[in-house]
């Protein structure tokens, strides 16, 4: 893993951390249980609870709110994981394509290892945050990585996400 990938992965985790607060936590490159014989290590898995909840076991599909893979150059390799996550029932699965400035959102997993729905969201689209009534603009996610069009990077995005988080906490 090269430094830009590691840094981008950490930024995704931090962005989600601001939105979800202490009820969930982000695991970077840690195993999740896909089956008895498969434990992939996604770039980020956002799961319920905290690290202490997984001292004796790894998170499963039921524990996981979103799986995120960050891709800078190896989109084809990242798509090889789609059947693994689909067969295990992980929903949603986000593929953040840093180069193209988009996010592939896979939902409605099917037992045959495919997803019933795959949408490609561009920079001007909004990404639905699982379990929240909030959205995140794809542009803001990519601006955090320092891709073209950066309007202030992570601090700008963090301020907006804090506002979203606070509004979500006030909502019924």
């Amino acid at each position: 893993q090269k430094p830009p990938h590691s840094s981008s992965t950490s930024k995704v985790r931090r962005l989600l951390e601001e939105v979800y607060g202490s009820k969930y936590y982000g695991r970077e490159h840690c195993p999740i249980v896909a089956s008895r014989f498969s434990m992939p290590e996604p770039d980020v898995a956002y799961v319920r609870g905290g690290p202490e909840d997984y001292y004796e076991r790894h998170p499963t599909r039921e524990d996981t709110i979103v799986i995120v893979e960050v891709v800078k150059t190896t989109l084809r390799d990242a798509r090889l994981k789609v059947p693994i996550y689909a067969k295990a029932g992980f929903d949603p699965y986000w593929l953040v394509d840093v180069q193209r400035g988009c996010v592939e959102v896979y939902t409605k997993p099917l037992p045959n290892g495919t997803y019933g729905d795959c949408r490609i969201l561009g920079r001007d689209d909004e990404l639905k945050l699982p379990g929240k009534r909030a959205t995140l603009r794809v542009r803001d996610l990519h601006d955090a990585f320092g891709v073209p069009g950066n309007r202030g990077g992570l601090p700008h995005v963090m301020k907006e996400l804090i506002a979203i988080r606070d509004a979500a906490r006030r909502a019924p």
Side-chain angles (χ1 to χ4, degrees), residues 1 6 11 54 152 159:
Q1 222 179 71
S6 296
K11 286 179 179 181
Y54 304 101
K159 286 179 189 172

Side-chain angles (χ1 to χ4, degrees), residues 103-107 117-121 125-128:
V103 177
E104 293 181 14
V105 178
Y106 295 87
T107 58
D117 189 39
C118 173
R119 294 180 304 136
I120 298 175
L121 302 180
D125 293 322
E126 293 191 346
L127 188 58
K128 168 86 175 84

